[in-house]
Amino acid sequence: MPVPALVTTAWRRAAELDFPMSCEDPAGPLLATLAAAVPSGGRVLELGTGAGVGSSWLVSGLTGRTDATVTTVELDAGLAAAVRAADWPPFVEILTGDACALLPTLGTFDLIFADAPAGKWEGLDLTLAALSPGGVLIVDDMDPTRYPEPEHRANVTRVEETLANHPDLVSVQLPVGSGFTLATRRRP
């Protein structure tokens, strides 16, 4: 997939903000592909906006559509403001706040990209509660070898075990890039 202009702009913004934690390949094209599959009237949620690189990929997957929404949550008010100042389609909402505090107020989503500690390492139950039947959750940074700290490796193991053993989910570990775990909520 060619790199969309929105993504190139987000990479530039990340460099200008000296933000080194944007999603890495192949996360972006995977996000765009998953977003393209969101059903009509679908809702997409990103936890951890950062400089907006992941958001840009998600929005790029929805090119030509106006029937879906993208909500992204960033804890850092400065980052959120910088991303909010960019030129986004009207279906994009950029929220500032703690994802664990906001998740119970946001409703349910067809695609959730968990790329922040809140909603992934802590509050995973809140993220799962926000996942619609048939919805897809993608959790980033799941390669335990990236973490020298035992507590971070333990977080990866805990999240993977939670998703693998959840009776309402089907999940798979994808050992590419920064490591992903992908889970889909079973339909009733």
Side-chain angles (χ1 to χ4, degrees):
M1 169 176 200
V3 176
L6 197 58
V7 174
T8 302
T9 300
W11 280 340
R12 192 173 313 117
R13 182 173 44 251
E16 290 167 1
L17 295 170
D18 197 26
F19 183 79
M21 297 179 288
S22 294
C23 64
E24 304 168 13
D25 284 338
L30 177 59
L31 292 173
T33 301
L34 293 171
V38 169
S40 180
R43 299 183 74 217
V44 177
L45 175 64
E46 177 187 36
L47 302 174
T49 311
V53 173
S55 310
S56 297
W57 280 108
L58 290 165
V59 169
S60 296
L62 297 169
T63 297
R65 293 179 60 179
T66 59
D67 65 307
T69 62
V70 175
T71 301
T72 183
V73 178
E74 175 55 47
L75 180 62
D76 183 302
L79 281 173
V83 173
R84 199 175 288 114
D87 186 23
W88 295 98
F91 62 81
V92 176
E93 179 181 32
I94 301 160
L95 302 177
T96 303
D98 178 79
C100 288
L102 291 172
L103 271 165
T105 70
L106 298 177
T108 59
F109 294 86
D110 302 290
L111 173 61
I112 300 175
F113 176 42
D115 193 26
K120 175 171 60 174
W121 304 143
E122 56 196 59
L124 181 61
D125 58 326
L126 299 170
T127 301
L128 294 178
L131 189 62
S132 298
V136 175
L137 168 65
I138 180 166
V139 185
D140 197 4
D141 305 319
M142 296 298 288
D143 177 358
T145 64
R146 297 171 61 92
Y147 303 105
E149 303 86 2
E151 64 271 12
H152 288 158
R153 290 191 302 275
N155 282 336
V156 169
T157 299
R158 181 180 45 77
V159 169
E160 286 179 344
E161 288 176 354
T162 297
L163 297 178
N165 295 318
H166 195 290
D168 296 332
L169 300 175
V170 176
S171 70
V172 63
Q173 296 173 19
L174 303 174
V176 297
S178 63
F180 307 102
T181 300
L182 191 66
T184 300
R185 180 175 294 282
R186 297 176 194 273
R187 294 186 185 275

